[in-house]
Amino acid sequence: MKKFTPIVLVFFLVFFTSSVLNAQQDNTSVVSEKVEKKKKKKKKKKYKLPDVDLSHWKVTLPVLNEKGKPYEIEPPEIFDFASNEIAKPYMYIDSTAGAIVFHAMPTASKTRNTKYTRSELREQMTPGNNNVNWTFADGAYMKGKIQMEATTKASNGKYHRTIIMQIHGRLTNEQRDLIGEDDNNAPPILKIYWDNGKVRVKTKELKNLNASDSEILHEDAWDDDEGFNFEQEVGFRKFVLEVKVSDGKMVIILNGNEYKVYENIHMKRWGVFENYFKAGNYFQTRDEGAFSKVKFYELEVSH
């Protein structure tokens, strides 16, 4: 058996140890690089923005302005809502989820024709102007990716409900003057609720089908229909809602596979009104301590 001299052994040990250390350092370096890359990826993924263009929307919030009326923000100020100290508690960005959160609760901030409060967007076809709207004959489309983040329960154990989308009617100035009203408000032809985990749709029906075009301008000419619940339960998960409007027809679509179609004399007669879209959180209770938070990941409108 061949024997190594002490010098050769020392050299061999030094060389072997050095090789092992270098290999360990290389492995450590590779592992460190991978960990660093993962950290950078995570950091990049952490901040997301909602796909919502606010250039044609104003918002009404559940807080009063200096005149004692609901606080509103119109374009272009609405673009900076995230840095608006008054808006922050009620409309803010969840940058982890990539959504705008609309937070509402019972307050003194009620609009004229309701007892409920809202953190809700109102469409403005011409930014800053409520007087330019659309008719069913013009056609309209709205799509939103939505999620109920949180909501309280009523004494009966059911979750408090909220309206997440609307089509609201509006009188022209001429129609308003014709029937002697002091504002331009007309009924909402569409209300879409998050209702105890389900999506519920309500519309209007004309009480007297023989009423004249001027008679149907009055709010009391219309009544609520019995409503419709989509079969799928959305709960607190994300879901997609689409609303398509054309002359005498309105279609609501849930997650691309459930449809509710309204094509009847009521839709046809509704063509006399102007309309605008609404989206957000129109909270439907005044229970003390109640609140809800609705997330909008995407919102688009076209005509």
Side-chain angles (χ1 to χ4, degrees):
M1 187 175 181
K2 190 173 180 180
K3 293 182 179 179
F4 293 100
T5 64
I7 294 173
V8 173
L9 282 171
V10 170
F11 176 78
F12 178 77
L13 286 169
V14 169
F15 176 79
F16 178 76
T17 304
S18 176
S19 299
V20 170
L21 287 171
N22 285 336
Q24 287 177 339
Q25 285 175 349
D26 289 342
N27 286 336
T28 302
S29 178
V30 170
V31 171
S32 296
E33 283 180 19
K34 286 182 178 178
V35 169
E36 199 62 36
K37 281 181 181 178
K38 280 184 180 179
K39 281 183 180 177
K40 284 182 179 177
K41 278 186 179 179
K42 280 183 180 178
K43 281 181 181 177
K44 283 181 182 177
K45 287 180 180 178
K46 272 183 180 177
Y47 191 82
K48 298 177 185 175
L49 289 174
D51 187 8
V52 179
D53 179 4
L54 293 172
S55 58
H56 290 275
W57 297 95
K58 76 171 182 177
V59 69
T60 302
L61 299 173
V63 62
L64 296 174
N65 62 19
E66 66 281 357
K67 295 179 181 178
K69 294 183 177 181
Y71 187 82
E72 295 184 342
I73 314 174
E74 296 186 339
E77 289 78 17
I78 195 170
F79 301 142
D80 298 319
F81 76 89
S83 58
N84 183 317
E85 292 300 324
I86 297 175
K88 276 181 181 180
Y90 313 107
M91 179 184 178
Y92 55 90
I93 292 176
D94 181 338
S95 57
T96 303
I100 296 178
V101 181
F102 295 94
H103 181 198
M105 70 294 294
T107 66
S109 176
K110 297 174 290 183
T111 50
R112 178 174 176 176
N113 298 293
T114 182
K115 60 182 178 180
Y116 300 125
T117 56
R118 68 189 80 206
S119 175
E120 188 183 36
L121 296 170
R122 192 268 199 215
E123 181 188 15
Q124 291 186 319
M125 295 182 75
T126 299
N129 186 350
N130 289 340
N131 293 313
V132 181
N133 302 284
W134 49 268
T135 65
F136 271 44
D138 295 327
Y141 174 75
M142 176 166 61
K143 180 180 180 181
K145 182 182 282 188
I146 309 165
Q147 181 182 18
M148 175 61 77
E149 179 185 332
T151 188
T152 46
K153 286 185 177 180
S155 56
N156 62 6
K158 290 185 177 181
Y159 289 107
H160 288 119
R161 66 180 188 166
T162 194
I163 296 173
I164 50 179
M165 280 185 171
Q166 294 190 73
I167 296 177
H168 215 291
R170 193 172 194 275
L171 299 171
T172 64
N173 290 342
E174 291 76 20
Q175 289 171 334
R176 177 200 64 199
D177 296 342
L178 177 66
I179 63 173
E181 286 292 339
D182 60 355
D183 67 16
N184 297 83
N185 191 62
I189 188 61
L190 175 67
K191 293 179 181 178
I192 305 180
Y193 295 81
W194 184 96
D195 189 357
N196 206 41
K198 290 269 195 171
V199 175
R200 180 165 175 77
V201 182
K202 294 277 289 180
T203 185
K204 295 288 184 182
E205 293 180 339
L206 195 57
K207 293 177 184 177
N208 176 14
L209 295 179
N210 296 315
S212 67
D213 281 352
S214 60
E215 287 173 337
I216 67 174
L217 296 175
H218 293 275
E219 191 164 351
D220 60 10
W222 298 85
D223 210 351
D224 290 332
D225 76 340
E226 62 182 13
F228 169 81
N229 279 3
F230 280 101
E231 187 177 331
Q232 182 183 351
E233 186 170 347
V234 299
F236 292 86
R237 300 182 301 277
K238 293 178 189 177
F239 58 95
V240 176
L241 272 176
E242 295 173 82
V243 179
K244 296 180 179 180
V245 169
S246 55
D247 192 10
K249 186 176 180 179
M250 182 171 67
V251 183
I252 297 90
I253 309 165
L254 174 61
N255 286 331
N257 54 31
E258 277 193 75
Y259 296 75
K260 177 59 179 174
V261 179
Y262 298 89
E263 191 171 14
N264 50 42
I265 186 62
H266 308 291
M267 294 298 111
K268 196 69 180 174
R269 297 297 304 276
W270 188 263
V272 70
F273 289 105
E274 290 188 345
N275 306 273
Y276 53 89
F277 283 124
K278 303 195 85 176
N281 182 355
Y282 179 19
F283 198 37
Q284 299 293 290
T285 185
R286 292 208 63 84
D287 286 358
E288 188 177 348
F291 74 92
S292 68
K293 294 180 180 181
V294 179
K295 286 181 176 177
F296 272 74
Y297 295 82
E298 299 173 10
L299 182 62
E300 63 173 286
V301 166
S302 60
H303 296 285

